[in-house]
Amino acid sequence: MYRTGVTSSLVAERGISYQSSPSERWIEVLVNCPGREAELEKTDKLFTYRLPADLEVKPGDILSVPFGAKLVGAIAIRLLSALPDNLASTKIRDVEDVLQKDFFRDSYWALLERIAEYYYTPLIQVIRVALPPGLLRQSQRRIRLLGSPKSEFLSPSASSILLLLQAQSAGDYSFVHIQRHVKGAYRGLQELLRRGLVESYLEPPRSARPKLQKAAILIGSPGDRDLTTRQQEILEVLRRRGG
């Protein structure tokens, strides 16, 4: 992990010498760290991570990255083909995993870039506004069953995850639940994802439901109807309060 400023939407700048390695790739991300949201929003900084060789990432994906001693949610902003000389590759940490691919579709991503360019606003600020409130902090990573293997050999952890999902009617569990029940769940999940047997997605936080209360509205005059004392009291209260 390494922090960089967001001053341009370009991958590289002229006049700066860059390190380059055909075997290494890097990504700049917007992170969410509980307890430091206000600080990170003020600095408008991106953080640089190394992409593992077997991990495919593109801008708009939701990632899991190490941040200090924690694993936090992040959104991929832009790929780097090389690092500036002032960034030591040995200090950059690896992206942990992709939580959801294509959260921002290509067309929507292009729209955000046009908005940033039109209003002369840093892209990072436009992205912050476009993100649903609390998405990275409150969303839940879930795993959904897509199919069953056909005479395929699976590792014990992958087989355990598959059996767990198959035993559930919807074939859908949170990754936290899977980790509690399967040893080595991360490696097993990666195996199932590579084989296309499951998918990983991010479930947005559920919006709070409004609290409903019963209400009485006065819609007419009772006339000569025979009403109880209690009913007359209720009508009188409604009349005093404008119906």
Side-chain angles (χ1 to χ4, degrees), residues 148-153 197:
S148 299
K150 298 179 180 179
S151 303
E152 291 187 63
F153 174 78
L197 298 175

Side-chain angles (χ1 to χ4, degrees), residues 112-121:
L112 297 181
E113 291 179 331
R114 289 200 299 271
I115 291 173
E117 182 179 356
Y118 182 83
Y119 289 102
Y120 296 96
T121 302

Side-chain angles (χ1 to χ4, degrees), residues 171-189:
D172 190 310
Y173 272 124
S174 71
F175 186 55
V176 171
H177 177 83
I178 292 174
Q179 285 180 306
R180 289 180 186 147
H181 290 80
V182 178
K183 185 177 181 180
Y186 177 76
R187 292 190 299 273
L189 175 60

Side-chain angles (χ1 to χ4, degrees), residues 63 103 204:
L63 312 175
F103 181 79

Side-chain angles (χ1 to χ4, degrees), residues 21-154:
S21 170
S23 61
E24 290 188 305
R25 301 171 301 151
W26 299 272
I27 186 82
E28 287 186 325
V29 306
L30 170 64
V31 303
N32 177 82
C33 184
R36 294 186 58 185
E37 293 93 338
E39 174 191 344
L40 294 173
E41 286 181 8
K42 289 179 181 179
T43 58
D44 278 337
K45 297 291 184 181
L46 294 181
F47 292 83
T48 302
Y49 288 84
R50 180 184 293 104
L51 289 175
D54 59 345
L55 201 63
E56 290 300 323
V57 175
K58 67 178 183 178
D61 291 349
I62 302 293
L63 312 175
S64 173
V65 298
F67 193 84
K70 302 178 180 179
L71 278 178
V72 300
I75 182 166
I77 302 299
R78 62 190 180 193
L79 294 162
L80 299 178
S81 58
L83 290 176
D85 283 337
N86 62 342
L87 295 186
S89 61
T90 55
K91 294 183 179 180
I92 298 178
R93 303 169 73 178
D94 288 358
V95 171
E96 179 73 17
D97 200 5
V98 178
L99 300 184
Q100 182 173 347
K101 299 191 74 65
D102 298 322
F103 181 79
F104 282 155
R105 300 295 177 89
D106 291 343
S107 57
Y108 190 65
W109 194 258
L111 175 62
L112 297 181
E113 291 179 331
R114 289 200 299 271
I115 291 173
E117 182 179 356
Y118 182 83
Y119 289 102
Y120 296 96
T121 302
L123 177 61
I124 191 67
Q125 292 185 11
V126 178
I127 294 170
R128 285 190 187 279
V129 174
L131 281 173
L135 172 74
L136 299 179
R137 182 177 67 256
Q138 301 172 10
S139 297
Q140 183 183 64
R141 185 188 188 186
R142 300 190 67 85
I143 309 302
R144 181 186 292 130
L145 182 66
L146 294 180
S148 299
K150 298 179 180 179
S151 303
E152 291 187 63
F153 174 78
L154 296 174

